[in-house]
Amino acid sequence: MKLRAREAAWLLFLFVPAWLPRTLALDAYVSPDERKWLARSANFTYAVSHADYAQTFQREHPGVTVMWAGTLGLLSEYPAYAQEAPGYFTWEQENLEAWLQANTEHTPLELLAAGRRWIALGVALTLWLSIFPLHRLLGRNAAHLAFIFLAVDPFGVALSRQLHPDGFVASFIFLALIYFFAWLYAGQRRRDLVISGVVMGLAWLTKTPAALLVPIAGVLVAAQGWRVWRRRHRTLPDDPYGDADEIAAQRGGSPLAPRPSQLMIGYMLWGVIAVATFFLLWPAMWVDPAGSLLRMATEMEAYVEGHVNPNFFWGQPTADPGFFFYAVALFFRTTPGVLIGLVAAAVFYVRRDWTFAELRTRRTVRAFTFFVLVFVAAMTVPAKKFDRYILPVFLALDVLAALGWLALSQLPWRVDATAWQRRLRVISPTAALLTVAFLLHGVFTVLTYPYYLTYYNPLAGGARTAPYALFVGWGEGLDAAARWLNAQPGSETFRVAAWYADGPFSYFSNSQAVPMGYSSPLSWLDTDYAVTYVNQWQRQLPAPEAVAWFAAQTPAYEVREDGLTLARVYDLRDTLLPPFIDLNTAPAADFGDAIRLIGVDLPQGQMAPGGQQLVTFYLQALAPMQTNYNVLVRLLAPDGSELWREEGWPWGAPTTNWPVREVRPDGHTLVLPADAAPGLYQLVLSFYDPATFDPLPAVEVRGGAALPAGEQKVALVQVGAVLTATETVDPPWLFGEMAQLSGVALPAVATPGDTLTVGVQWDSLKTTPGAYTTFVHVVNPAGELVAQQDQLPLGGFAPTHTWQPGQHIVDTVTLTLPPDLPPGQYAVRVGLYQGDVRLSVSRGGAAAGDFAVAGGFELR
């Protein structure tokens, strides 16, 4: 009795290492899919409570056990949910979260953590139950050591404490396998078959890859049936390593060695039990089984085709990581303890030493190995691949590794002792074994708490090399970024663009969290901070130019764990708009410290007489306004004459009602007269008080230069064809990425003291912030400067920040030649500069310095 009590106490104690690391800090961070599973669990709860059973179909996975866990968590924290909820919530957006915030005192994070508790408990209990069939298959010591490996595997712990199917389905698949092996190899006890069938049904209810158990088990049953048939017909020799049941089967047909037909009947019964469990625990099966199964098949077909965003493997984004992905993932995600144990298991299995001398053990090893190979091969077929998809394989390898370690532990006691070995005998083999196993396996779970997913095998380079090989990051670290922002003054007014904004960031943030859009200006215009993430950098999302731009900035804060940079926070409050966004911010200006012009959307810079197009100004209130200001938009010719104008309330709304920092798109339809003369016209923006007609003073946002008359030149509009220079430059001179010099007009001959007129044609390639100045230099044959003229394009009418791509700007520059110049050949150089910096120049793909040689003339 005392022995039984001691064994029971030990078994109960073993439950602790499986449950404790999975249940601590359940509110530490949120993975991207968990917000969706919380909403699905809420819908599942509502459907069951209102007997709307068809609505318990929420996802093709189907994730039913996850939603049952979420329901238990939801009802434990919020028992009245089903009665107070307005109905079903879409899980694509944070509608559930918005409703909870507006109508209850419950936070999404609290409800999520409650559901996670049930997942953690369920996984820990499932793993603990595996001790009993493992005991019969492998022996007591092997079963307990295998359980320790299972309990503290860092990758397994990481995925089995989330409201998500992967951890749950892995534990169910593993337990179903173990009990099936116990039925097949350890006496064909019917209760083993029943338990395995029930658990397999739970696995099917969790995630569809569990269906692979059916063919895997079928092959194992067929192999065992063939083995039994051959032994019954005495075509196999006696096996000196067989167990008593096997020997009895060879010598006379023990009742413990059933006929192949009996094995097939048991296999079918196993499937029937699983199907019954599947139907019994999923209410959708009660009302529409055929429709639900058809939806599962249809939606899963689309699901496995690939990723919406690219995956990442071996240093580059990819749609399909390919054949070797899971081999690499296994190496990076397993532990040194497992690798050592697997090598030892292979050696001792071949030698049939120690624990591998038992027939049941060898068959279990072969069955686990077969499962690993088939499961990995099946998961390799779809384009969609993640390391977590093969979590059941890690559990199987943990058991095999434990067997290897157990065999290793027996080696020092095998031979006659030397003095050193005799001293070694005083150490408990079990204690020594568990210590080594923990240091090479479970210690990583302790070291990576609570971000268990940041563990990577140190033999593979750990967290230093993982970001170059595998997709890294599943939400861990974004909680720390949110908490840092929460500590900043005024954080409740911040607008933060974040990767994985919905859940991993928003559940922890006091600020308004918005997704990091691909190129939409409205998602960036009033953004205070941006939070970028590690797998975003890996996959070059939302675009390579965005990743490159952020990489060139200095982050305000970085989240680093275990040597891995997970997230970076950037302060964008002094940045108008990231340049990778497709919006012209070059003319940004502040008007009276009240209204900011952030940018302008001008679809095209060329128009035909009589044509029209929409021009949109993006405006932001900088401070509360007591006056309803008017906006004035004009199209001006170089001589100051007005071709078109429109004025009134911007955005059609009084400015006194504008919320501070809110961005409003103010659209105007620019209409050209039918008789508009061809040429270049300037679009000009200003604001004024309609009571006094006084314009608001204006300054450039970049540099703070005051703007005359409170007017900002916004964009150059080309009407009709523009006269071009008479001499074409071929190939043209390229000035940075902004423009090219494609035409020049120069006299062939000049005399000292003449006024030299130089015509230059610029072809605009890209709108660039800042006003560049044109310089024209005349140099003598020795390359010495003898005359020059610097001016803004078209005498200041067409500053370069208003140039639109595709426009031709023909400018005329005049300069006076000194009267004492000697005769000879003189060259003309042309360039652009801003401040003290000249634009670099190239021609024909080759660098050409910082000026273009536009031509020359003869001085007589």
Side-chain angles (χ1 to χ4, degrees):
M1 186 66 181
K2 290 183 179 179
L3 184 61
R4 288 187 176 182
R6 192 179 303 118
E7 179 70 13
W10 169 244
L11 288 174
L12 290 175
F13 173 77
L14 284 178
F15 181 76
V16 175
W19 172 76
L20 190 61
R22 289 170 171 81
T23 198
L24 292 175
L26 288 175
D27 58 352
Y29 74 96
V30 174
S31 63
D33 293 342
E34 286 186 285
R35 180 194 62 75
K36 300 174 184 178
W37 283 109
L38 180 62
R40 292 166 189 157
S41 298
N43 292 342
F44 189 91
T45 304
Y46 189 88
V48 172
S49 299
H50 291 79
D52 188 7
Y53 300 130
Q55 291 299 321
T56 58
F57 186 113
Q58 289 287 306
R59 190 66 170 158
E60 73 279 353
H61 287 326
V64 175
T65 57
V66 177
M67 293 186 289
W68 274 119
T71 294
L72 292 173
L74 186 65
L75 296 181
S76 65
E77 290 290 321
Y78 187 4
Y81 172 78
Q83 290 71 44
E84 296 180 2
Y88 299 106
F89 294 97
T90 177
W91 40 264
E92 289 90 349
Q93 298 177 346
E94 293 186 274
N95 295 330
L96 170 65
E97 289 79 0
W99 180 81
L100 289 171
Q101 182 178 9
N103 299 279
T104 75
E105 296 180 354
H106 301 281
T107 68
L109 187 58
E110 292 172 350
L111 301 181
L112 178 64
R116 284 172 158 185
R117 290 190 194 99
W118 289 97
I119 294 285
L121 178 63
V123 171
L125 182 61
T126 302
L127 295 180
W128 183 78
L129 289 173
S130 70
I131 294 175
F132 303 100
L134 284 172
H135 191 170
R136 293 168 47 220
L137 288 166
L138 308 177
R140 179 181 181 277
N141 290 338
H144 292 174
L145 183 58
F147 173 75
I148 294 296
F149 268 75
L150 294 167
V152 297
D153 187 301
F155 191 51
V157 171
L159 294 173
S160 57
R161 46 188 266 113
Q162 300 178 352
L163 192 66
H164 193 273
D166 288 327
F168 233 5
V169 75
S171 64
F172 288 143
I173 287 175
F174 178 75
L175 188 62
L177 275 177
I178 288 296
Y179 272 100
F180 188 82
F181 295 166
W183 169 76
L184 193 59
Y185 303 135
Q188 290 82 43
R189 296 196 308 187
R190 185 165 297 177
R191 66 182 180 186
D192 292 334
L193 193 68
V194 172
I195 294 174
S196 179
V198 170
V199 178
M200 183 170 71
L202 293 174
W204 290 355
L205 285 169
T206 306
K207 202 169 184 181
T208 48
L212 289 171
L213 286 174
V214 176
I216 290 172
V219 172
L220 295 176
V221 166
Q224 182 69 359
W226 174 249
R227 187 181 299 112
V228 170
W229 183 88
R230 293 186 68 186
R231 292 198 185 283
R232 285 181 176 275
H233 290 76
R234 302 185 181 279
T235 60
L236 291 180
D238 286 349
D239 184 353
Y241 295 95
D243 59 13
D245 293 340
E246 188 69 18
I247 295 172
Q250 294 178 43
R251 293 178 177 175
S254 165
L256 295 179
R259 297 179 182 275
S261 59
Q262 293 175 302
L263 289 176
M264 184 56 63
I265 292 172
Y267 174 69
M268 291 188 292
L269 176 62
W270 177 67
V272 169
I273 295 170
V275 170
T277 303
F278 185 85
F279 273 75
L280 181 64
L281 295 181
W282 191 6
M285 291 291 104
W286 307 347
V287 294
D288 186 20
S292 298
L293 293 174
L294 181 61
R295 280 186 64 188
M296 280 183 63
T298 303
E299 295 178 17
M300 183 54 66
E301 182 179 359
Y303 179 80
V304 300
E305 287 180 353
H307 304 261
V308 175
N309 291 322
N311 202 333
F312 178 87
F313 181 61
W314 217 247
Q316 62 184 2
T318 177
D320 184 349
F323 181 79
F324 296 103
F325 172 77
Y326 284 119
V328 175
L330 276 168
F331 185 52
F332 269 90
R333 284 301 194 179
T334 195
T335 65
V338 169
L339 292 176
I340 294 171
L342 289 176
V343 172
V347 171
F348 287 109
Y349 176 84
V350 171
R351 295 176 56 180
R352 297 191 176 189
D353 280 349
W354 312 116
T355 187
F356 293 97
E358 294 290 336
L359 183 61
R360 291 178 181 177
T361 300
R362 295 203 312 278
R363 287 181 177 171
T364 302
V365 168
R366 290 196 296 267
F368 266 133
T369 303
F370 177 69
F371 164 75
V372 167
L373 295 176
V374 172
F375 198 88
V376 171
M379 291 294 99
T380 301
V381 174
K384 193 167 187 177
K385 298 178 178 71
F386 282 118
D387 51 10
R388 65 180 187 272
Y389 288 177
I390 58 165
L391 181 59
V393 167
F394 286 84
L395 302 184
L397 296 179
D398 284 341
V399 174
L400 298 180
L403 289 172
W405 277 100
L406 186 63
L408 279 174
S409 72
Q410 297 170 355
L411 191 60
W413 289 269
R414 178 182 178 185
V415 297
D416 292 336
T418 64
W420 174 80
Q421 289 169 330
R422 283 194 296 272
R423 288 195 298 272
L424 190 62
R425 286 183 179 181
V426 302
I427 302 175
S428 166
T430 301
L433 179 66
L434 292 179
T435 300
V436 174
F438 179 78
L439 291 177
L440 294 176
H441 182 66
V443 72
F444 300 108
T445 300
V446 176
L447 295 176
T448 55
Y449 167 86
Y451 292 161
Y452 301 117
L453 274 176
T454 60
Y455 165 76
Y456 292 96
N457 189 353
L459 298 180
R464 298 189 309 277
T465 59
Y468 302 99
L470 292 175
F471 179 98
V472 171
W474 206 32
E476 63 274 21
L478 289 172
D479 57 309
R483 292 187 180 103
W484 182 85
L485 283 166
N486 292 344
Q488 308 309 305
S491 62
E492 64 279 358
T493 66
F494 291 165
R495 189 175 187 272
V496 182
W499 199 250
Y500 294 151
D502 52 347
F505 182 80
S506 63
Y507 276 23
F508 302 92
S509 176
N510 293 336
S511 309
Q512 179 191 1
V514 296
M516 188 171 289
Y518 282 73
S519 60
S520 171
L522 290 177
S523 67
W524 289 94
L525 285 170
D526 55 352
T527 298
D528 297 290
Y529 286 88
V531 179
T532 64
Y533 197 56
V534 56
N535 66 51
Q536 177 188 359
W537 318 327
Q538 290 180 306
R539 297 180 291 167
Q540 297 290 293
L541 295 175
E545 56 268 26
V547 174
W549 183 82
F550 278 115
Q553 313 305 307
T554 301
Y557 179 68
E558 282 191 336
V559 180
R560 294 182 60 84
E561 288 290 335
D562 304 315
L564 188 64
T565 301
L566 294 170
R568 296 187 179 113
V569 182
Y570 295 91
D571 188 346
L572 302 182
R573 288 175 294 181
D574 293 329
T575 302
L576 278 170
L577 198 64
F580 54 82
I581 302 301
D582 187 19
L583 184 70
N584 180 9
T585 64
D590 288 343
F591 295 85
D593 295 327
I595 299 174
R596 169 170 289 181
L597 168 65
I598 294 179
V600 61
D601 183 12
L602 182 67
Q604 57 180 345
Q606 301 182 16
M607 297 179 65
Q612 63 181 33
Q613 68 170 303
L614 179 67
V615 180
T616 304
F617 302 99
Y618 290 90
L619 307 174
Q620 182 183 42
L622 299 177
M625 288 176 271
Q626 307 302 318
T627 302
N628 291 320
Y629 295 106
N630 277 1
V631 63
L632 174 60
V633 188
R634 301 191 295 160
L635 191 65
L636 303 179
D639 62 3
S641 60
E642 190 175 282
L643 194 66
W644 168 86
R645 76 152 49 196
E646 190 167 281
E647 56 191 315
W649 282 349
W651 203 62
T655 58
T656 54
N657 293 340
W658 285 16
V660 175
R661 288 192 47 74
E662 181 175 303
V663 175
R664 299 197 170 192
D666 179 32
H668 299 266
T669 302
L670 193 163
V671 181
L672 291 180
D675 59 351
L680 295 172
Y681 297 83
Q682 188 62 253
L683 192 66
V684 178
L685 179 76
S686 61
F687 294 87
Y688 67 89
D689 184 342
T692 63
F693 295 98
D694 292 335
L696 284 175
V699 297
E700 293 180 342
V701 172
R702 295 180 177 90
L707 298 171
E711 290 185 327
Q712 172 63 311
K713 295 175 180 178
V714 174
L716 200 62
V717 177
Q718 180 176 318
V719 177
V722 175
L723 294 177
T724 58
T726 57
E727 298 179 15
T728 301
V729 177
D730 187 24
W733 298 83
L734 182 63
F735 286 75
E737 298 179 353
M738 184 184 111
Q740 62 184 17
L741 179 65
S742 60
V744 175
L746 273 174
V749 178
T751 58
D754 276 356
T755 297
L756 187 69
T757 300
V758 181
V760 293
Q761 177 180 319
W762 300 102
D763 294 342
S764 176
L765 303 176
K766 180 180 180 181
T767 300
T768 305
Y772 283 85
T773 300
T774 302
F775 70 80
V776 176
H777 291 174
V778 178
V779 297
N780 61 22
E784 298 170 337
L785 180 66
V786 297
Q788 75 176 78
Q789 178 62 38
D790 296 14
Q791 67 180 44
L792 294 174
L794 298 184
F797 174 77
T800 56
H801 78 264
T802 66
W803 292 7
Q804 305 301 303
Q807 290 180 337
H808 306 294
I809 296 91
V810 179
D811 199 4
T812 301
V813 180
T814 59
L815 47 82
T816 302
L817 299 175
D820 56 350
L821 285 180
Q825 285 294 129
Y826 287 78
V828 176
R829 298 174 177 176
V830 178
L832 293 169
Y833 67 89
Q834 184 180 29
D836 296 328
V837 180
R838 292 183 179 184
L839 270 179
S840 60
V841 180
S842 62
R843 193 182 194 193
D850 57 8
F851 61 84
V853 179
F857 61 91
E858 182 182 357
L859 188 68
R860 296 179 180 175

